[in-house]
Amino acid sequence: MQLETIERLDTAALVSAAQDGDAVAWERLVEEFSPMLRARIRRFRLNHEDAQDVLQTTWLLAWQNLGSVEDGQRMAGWLATIAFRECLKLTRRTKEICTPDLDSLGSTDDVDRELARIWLAGTLEELVEELPAAQRVLFRALTETSEPHYVDVARRLGRPVGSIGPTRARCFAKLRGLLQAREITRDFLD
């Protein structure tokens, strides 16, 4: 199946084409499902390098076992399961607890701040899922590194550089509105 001639395929068709060796179909699957996988991996609160390793291992295992996928419409769940298992393996192997040692934080205020930070990180991830797809993808691209450059993000997402700032502004405005709807304000964070 030649994907260059088809504008938009459903997931099952992409899986089938990738199983037949179509590299473009595989690339589209990676592009489509990587943001979802990153979100699921982030829930384990791994450091950036470990999270990237889990993502890469997930795609490697998916590639190696792609022939076993019988229902391409279930690709998202299959990938999520692989990522979940890899996160569990990593946390078991390193014997790291993904939550902080609250006893080491000292004062009750420090503990409260750390618990609020953890809760807010989880809440923010939920709110990001509510964003329109274009804003969600941009938000994740901008937050994957500590110093994102619009040129790099635009190139990676295949968007004009001039569209990054305005889309970012709409995204942050939407997130502010969602936070306010949940009554999460600066006062909550102080």
Side-chain angles (χ1 to χ4, degrees):
M1 172 184 282
Q2 292 296 322
L3 289 182
E4 294 80 13
T5 61
I6 299 173
E7 187 66 31
R8 176 80 176 135
L9 290 176
D10 66 20
T11 301
L14 286 172
V15 170
S16 178
Q19 287 172 329
D20 291 338
D22 190 326
V24 174
W26 176 254
E27 289 173 15
R28 285 195 184 173
L29 288 169
V30 171
E31 183 180 310
E32 181 178 339
F33 289 108
S34 285
M36 177 272 296
L37 289 172
R38 283 188 190 97
R40 292 196 179 258
I41 292 166
R42 269 196 296 270
R43 291 178 183 159
F44 277 80
R45 293 185 173 82
L46 303 173
N47 65 44
H48 179 73
E49 292 79 18
D50 287 342
Q52 288 299 105
D53 287 347
V54 168
L55 181 64
Q56 189 172 16
T57 301
T58 299
W59 282 117
L60 176 64
L61 291 170
W63 175 254
Q64 290 172 342
N65 297 291
L66 190 61
S68 69
V69 176
E70 293 177 15
D71 182 359
Q73 290 300 92
R74 296 182 179 212
M75 186 72 169
W78 184 66
L79 288 169
T81 300
I82 294 171
F84 178 79
R85 288 177 180 164
E86 289 304 307
C87 286
L88 286 179
K89 283 181 194 175
L90 178 67
T91 56
R92 285 181 187 143
R93 187 171 54 243
T94 59
K95 298 192 188 293
E96 292 178 0
I97 297 174
C98 296
T99 55
D101 177 10
L102 298 177
D103 292 334
S104 69
L105 290 175
S107 75
T108 302
D109 289 342
D110 292 339
V111 171
D112 289 345
R113 269 194 295 281
E114 183 63 11
L115 289 173
R117 186 193 65 74
I118 291 167
W119 175 83
L120 187 59
T123 300
L124 182 60
E125 185 59 41
E126 291 173 18
L127 297 178
V128 168
E129 289 296 318
E130 295 180 28
L131 293 172
Q135 293 177 11
R136 188 171 54 244
V137 168
L138 179 62
F139 180 85
R140 290 189 176 126
L142 290 171
T143 58
E144 284 175 349
T145 62
S146 59
E147 296 181 30
H149 297 282
Y150 282 11
V151 173
D152 296 333
V153 170
R155 187 176 317 125
R156 199 168 83 229
L157 297 178
R159 296 183 184 168
V161 175
S163 73
I164 301 299
T167 304
R168 176 188 174 274
R170 287 190 297 276
C171 171
F172 284 12
K174 176 85 171 168
L175 281 174
R176 272 192 297 278
L178 292 170
L179 285 167
Q180 288 171 349
R182 292 193 181 194
E183 298 180 359
I184 301 170
T185 63
R186 285 188 192 274
D187 296 337
F188 173 83
L189 303 174
D190 292 334

